[in-house]
Every structure is written in C-alpha cells, then in structure tokens.
Amino acid sequence: MCKSLTGFFLCVMGNKVTKDVVETQEHFKSRWRSIWIMYLTMFLSSVGFSIVIMSVWPYLQEIDPTADASFLGWIIASYSIGQMVASPLFGLWSNYRPRREPLVISTAISVAANCLYAYVHVPHSHNKYYMLTARALVGFGAGNVAVVRSYIAGATSLTERTSAMANTSACQAVGFILGPVFQTCFTLIGEEGITWKLINLQLNMYTAPVLFGALLGVINIILIFVIFREHRVDDMGRQCKSVNFEGEGTEGEVAESGGLDQDAEGNIDHVAVVALNFLFFVVLFVFAVFETIATPLTMDMYSWTRKEAVFYNGIILSVVGIESVIVFMVVKMLAKKTGERAILHGGLLIVLVGFFILLPWGKKLPNIQWQEIKNNSIPRTTPTEMLMPFWSLQAMQPPSNHTAEPVGCPVTQSWCLNTPVIYLAQYISSDILIGLGYPVCNVMSYTLYSKILGPKPQGVYMGWLTASGSGARILGPVFVSQIYTHLGPRWAFSLICGVVVVSLLLLEIVYKRLIAFSVRYGRMQEENC
C-alpha cells in the first residue's frame, strides 16, 4: 500500500499501526470518544447511587417516622434489586441490538426515578414505600453498567483492556467521590430549603441532589446520541464486524469477521467465570456493608445528629474516594509487572485488615440515647474530640430542650449497653484501608473476567457479573442492618472478616485458571495474567 517513501509517511500519519493492527486515525478517535462516553455513563451510574447514600436515613426518618433501621437496609438494597434484574436484560439486549438503545432507555428510567424521589414527601402516608420504589427504579436504570462493561471489553484489545477497565472503575470511583461531595454541598440549603408551590416541589438538602442527578442524566442521553458510535476489535486489536453496527459508515472500515470467528473458537472456562462472580460478589458485599453502616454507626458511636452524620461522612468518604482514584491510576502500571491475580489477592488481604481494625476494643461504652428523656443528659462528642483520649474530655451538657434531636446509641439496641465504642481513629483507619483494597479488587475482578471471556459477545456474561454485584448490594445492606441492629458491630464485622477469608481460599484454589482466553488457547503469550 505504501510503495514510496512519501506514501509510507502518509500511511503512518493517517493510521494507527501496530503489530497485526491497522486502524485509521478517524476510527481510532471515534472508538475512544465512544469509550469516553461509556466512562461518563459509568460515572453517572455511581453518582446516582452515592449522591443520596449519606442522606437516605435522615430523610427517611423525616418523611416517615414509622421507618426503622431495618427498613433502611431495604431502601439501600432496592437500588441493587433493580440493577440485578435489569443487568442481564440490558446485557442480552446489547448482544443483538445497537447498544445505543439500552443505554438511552436505561438512562431515561434513572432520570424519571430521580424526579420521583424528589416528590416522595408529598403523599400523606406510606412515604417510605414511595422512596423504596424510586430507589429501585434508579437501580433498574443503572443496569446499563453491563452494557458499558461489555462495550469496553469488545472495543479494546487485550493489551488495552486493563487500562480501560481501570479507567472505567476510576470513573465509577469519581462518581462515588463526587456523590457525597454534592450531597455535602447541598446540605447548605438546609432541611427546610425552598418550596415551589406551583409544581409542589420542595428543594432542600435531600431533594436537590437527585434533581441534579436527573439533569446529568439528560446530558448523558444527548451525548450518547451525538458522539457514541459502535466499535468492536478482537483480542489482537483487529477491527471486526458486529451485530451492533447501525450503518453509520463504520462497517466499510472493518475487516472481515472471519478472523473473529476463528479467534472465538474454544470454550470459556466456566469454573473461572463462576469463581470470579463469587469473588466479585464478596467485594461488592463488603463495600455495601461499609457504605450502609457509615451513617448509623457514627450516629450511634459518636452521638452525631443526622445533619452532622451526613456532613462528616460525606467528607470522609470523599477523601477515601480520592484515594481510590489514585489507586486506580497506580494499579494499571502495577498490573503490568505483577499481574492481575496477585494484585487481586493483595487487595482482599487489605480489605480483611480494614474490617478487622473496625472490631470494637477497649472498655468505654458509647453514649446511650434514653428516648424517654430525649437524651438531654447525654454528653455529645465532636469528631475532633474523639481523636483525644476520652478521659481528657469534659462532659458537655446540651440545653434542656425537649425538642432537641435524640443522639447517641439507642437503648432499644441492647448491645449498646455492653459493646465498647469504636473510636474515630479506628473508623478512619478502616476507611483508609477499605478505600485502598476495594478499588484494587474491583478493577482486577472486571479485568480478569473480561479476559477470560475472550472475543465472544460479553453482554450477557457482564450482565450476570453486574447482577452478582447487585445481589451483594442487596444482601449487604440487609445483612448489616439486621445483624448490626440486633447483635451489634462486633458480630457484624467478625462475620465480614470470615467471608473475606473464604474468598481468599477460593482465589487460591482457582488461581491458575484465571488466565486470558487467548492465552489459554495458545494464541497469545501470558504476560503476568
């Protein structure tokens, strides 16, 4: 094609050329612009979950006093129930139809659900069930994560995969960071806020975040229509035909699909697939426990009010989120030297240490909330004071105001009377370790999973992986709300440590099977897989 020296330079300038890969610059740019739209979709999906996670409990208490901590677990889990149901469906849809269809429909569902959440205070009764419905629909819309992951897996070569998956998880982590940050900023509006009577809309610290999320969803839909295009390459990076192409002029640029059919020959290692689904379940399970318990735990242990718990936990989780993004960037380079399997093993060990540190030690008990006297005689402790030795603190008596919000560990939780307090230093140390281990486990699980599946369509498989993570987000909040409420943090965190130990043992058993599809069938050499 490039017979002259001048022609050679024109070819190099007009094409991205690597071993066995020839890709026009236009195709390369279009492919990566589309991948970046997928990054944005992943970001918005995580924002939709985290933007209210710190305020769900106080908002639930405000709109429906009949709701208890156990129902909080179902509220948090409803998001994941919706996602678990939707993920395989959207994944199957994306295997046979243009991915733009499930992406737009799912995002539109999330936008509508966020608007519903902003109005859950309006009904005169059963408000908690309206909130449950709204969060379930937001989760259903978030089932597009399976489409996002399958698209990125199919639009990247094996050498690009780890970096692309790390970027995807980093965008997800940024969403988890900015969600609580947005929530923290919106606390400045206050619980009263302002009311737009014409449409019966109350704009306050609880509703403003979801309306902002709805606005971001509308922007995402517009970008999907304007920028997103279908692309597919095999493990070697060769362009391939796909059923998802919409006649956008890309098929003429794509090589014949016979190469893909040949590379796709061979059976997927379903033992490895099931093992990674379980490991991913565990990773999401422990992180869901960590997210759900943050607000009730700090309100019980440190006598924080609802507003303080939302504000302080928002700050703490934002810092942890920044830590996670840094980890995502570092892990891409580290994986090239040590391999994904070793990093996954190390991440699980870090998570284990993080929850072990969170176990209650010592003899000091938390402040008790005596509901009948509104806790007016219970001293409260600020985050700064909790860092000081407890014997150096002076008890502070709040004013005798029977309208004051009760604070402390409720006497209805019998364990409050005999379980030692978890010091703030323990809580923050645990946050740091879990914030380090979780992103490592998350991105390595997804990367290994996509490599094991190989060049075959991954929509359904990614749907099942997302569903397993959603199942973890269902059981995690329900588990911790029940065990924590009735048995206390010692039992809850001890059981979590046991689950992580089991996952480490499973990883040891299947360690040698967690290799890329192309490596397994000898089409590529293993490079620290």
Side-chain angles (χ1 to χ4, degrees):
M1 294 175 60
C2 308
K3 297 181 179 179
S4 66
L5 184 61
T6 303
F8 173 79
F9 283 112
L10 288 174
C11 285
V12 173
M13 292 176 65
N15 298 271
K16 174 181 175 284
V17 182
T18 60
K19 184 178 180 180
D20 296 327
V21 181
V22 178
E23 183 177 32
T24 65
Q25 194 70 14
E26 180 182 356
H27 187 278
F28 175 76
K29 290 180 179 180
S30 176
R31 180 165 67 93
W32 280 98
R33 278 196 300 264
S34 299
I35 290 174
W36 275 96
I37 295 299
M38 294 299 94
Y39 292 163
L40 174 64
T41 304
M42 181 65 78
F43 165 79
L44 293 179
S45 175
S46 60
V47 166
F49 178 80
S50 65
I51 200 167
V52 298
I53 196 68
M54 291 294 104
S55 64
V56 166
W57 176 234
Y59 190 33
L60 182 62
Q61 290 179 310
E62 180 179 294
I63 65 172
D64 197 332
T66 65
D68 55 14
S70 295
F71 196 82
L72 169 67
W74 289 108
I75 292 286
I76 303 298
S78 65
Y79 175 96
S80 299
I81 292 174
Q83 190 179 50
M84 183 177 68
V85 172
S87 294
L89 298 178
F90 287 138
L92 182 64
W93 189 352
S94 71
N95 271 3
Y96 296 99
R97 293 288 301 167
R99 293 185 178 93
R100 180 178 290 161
E101 295 177 6
L103 287 171
V104 170
I105 295 299
S106 60
T107 307
I109 291 172
S110 294
V111 170
N114 277 325
C115 293
L116 173 62
Y117 186 92
Y119 281 93
V120 295
H121 66 282
V122 174
H124 298 294
S125 61
H126 305 299
N127 303 76
K128 62 184 181 182
Y129 296 109
Y130 288 103
M131 179 182 284
L132 185 73
T133 302
R135 292 302 294 166
L137 287 174
V138 172
F140 191 90
N144 59 18
V145 168
V147 182
V148 171
R149 297 281 188 181
S150 65
Y151 177 82
I152 292 174
T156 55
S157 66
L158 202 62
T159 56
E160 295 172 324
R161 192 79 46 80
T162 301
S163 179
M165 286 295 180
N167 291 339
T168 307
S169 296
C171 290
Q172 188 176 36
V174 170
F176 283 121
I177 296 171
L178 294 184
V181 170
F182 293 147
Q183 175 67 80
T184 303
C185 294
F186 287 124
T187 58
L188 300 176
I189 301 176
E191 291 186 315
E192 295 297 327
I194 57 176
T195 302
W196 192 355
K197 295 183 179 180
L198 182 63
I199 57 175
N200 204 18
L201 176 63
Q202 187 177 12
L203 190 67
N204 56 29
M205 61 181 282
Y206 302 125
T207 61
V210 292
L211 293 174
F212 179 70
L215 175 62
L216 293 177
V218 171
I219 295 173
N220 190 30
I221 290 174
I222 294 172
L223 292 175
I224 289 172
F225 274 114
V226 174
I227 298 177
F228 178 79
R229 297 291 182 272
E230 293 287 351
H231 295 284
R232 181 169 178 78
V233 298
D234 62 12
D235 281 356
M236 301 295 294
R238 294 172 295 191
Q239 302 165 44
C240 306
K241 286 185 178 180
S242 171
V243 69
N244 306 104
F245 285 122
E246 302 169 298
E248 296 170 333
T250 54
E251 286 191 71
E253 301 171 3
V254 181
E256 292 298 326
S257 59
L260 176 60
D261 295 336
Q262 184 178 0
D263 288 344
E265 291 179 358
N267 296 322
I268 295 173
D269 187 346
H270 285 94
V271 173
V273 168
V274 172
L276 277 174
N277 270 276
F278 177 80
L279 291 173
F280 188 69
F281 174 91
V282 170
V283 171
L284 269 292
F285 180 85
V286 298
F287 192 71
V289 168
F290 169 71
E291 288 177 322
T292 305
I293 204 61
T295 299
L297 179 69
T298 52
M299 290 175 69
D300 290 346
M301 292 294 164
Y302 315 132
S303 300
W304 291 353
T305 64
R306 292 193 299 266
K307 188 173 182 179
E308 288 172 339
V310 171
F311 181 77
Y312 293 136
N313 279 302
I315 293 174
I316 292 172
L317 291 183
S318 297
V319 173
V320 170
I322 294 172
E323 173 197 13
S324 297
V325 172
I326 295 172
V327 171
F328 284 128
M329 296 300 102
V330 172
V331 80
K332 293 191 296 183
M333 298 178 288
L334 191 60
K336 295 178 181 179
K337 298 181 179 180
T338 62
E340 289 90 356
R341 294 175 297 183
I343 296 178
L344 177 59
H345 193 278
L348 286 171
L349 285 174
I350 293 172
V351 171
L352 176 61
V353 174
F355 275 99
F356 183 79
I357 288 176
L358 204 53
L359 290 171
W361 307 99
K363 297 182 179 179
K364 184 188 177 184
L365 300 179
N367 296 328
I368 304 300
Q369 177 191 132
W370 300 99
Q371 293 179 334
E372 60 269 30
I373 62 174
K374 301 293 184 181
N375 202 40
N376 286 338
S377 62
I378 302 299
R380 297 184 59 247
T381 309
T382 65
T384 303
E385 291 164 345
M386 283 300 296
L387 293 173
M388 302 167 58
F390 69 89
W391 57 82
S392 68
L393 299 176
Q394 299 295 326
M396 297 183 296
Q397 301 292 337
S400 298
N401 179 6
H402 288 275
T403 63
E405 177 185 338
V407 294
C409 200
V411 69
T412 52
Q413 296 177 164
S414 59
W415 58 263
C416 293
L417 301 174
N418 52 41
T419 301
V421 69
I422 297 173
Y423 293 101
L424 189 62
Q426 284 179 263
Y427 178 64
I428 293 177
S429 298
S430 177
D431 287 349
I432 293 172
L433 288 172
I434 294 172
L436 175 62
Y438 167 74
V440 168
C441 296
N442 182 289
V443 69
M444 291 301 105
S445 299
Y446 264 120
T447 302
L448 285 168
Y449 193 72
S450 67
K451 289 185 175 182
I452 286 170
L453 296 178
K456 297 176 182 289
Q458 298 188 8
V460 174
Y461 281 101
M462 284 294 179
W464 286 119
L465 186 67
T466 304
S468 69
S470 300
R473 287 191 177 278
I474 295 169
L475 296 179
V478 174
F479 163 84
V480 74
S481 61
Q482 296 295 326
I483 300 298
Y484 177 83
T485 301
H486 297 102
L487 299 177
R490 179 170 286 160
W491 269 96
F493 301 141
S494 294
L495 290 173
I496 290 296
C497 289
V499 170
V500 178
V501 169
V502 170
S503 68
L504 282 166
L505 293 175
L506 175 63
L507 179 58
E508 287 295 328
I509 294 172
V510 300
Y511 193 86
K512 293 183 178 180
R513 303 184 76 128
L514 304 182
I515 56 176
F517 183 94
S518 298
V519 173
R520 183 167 176 246
Y521 287 98
R523 300 187 184 114
M524 294 182 67
Q525 292 185 347
E526 182 174 7
E527 295 179 0
N528 293 323
C529 290

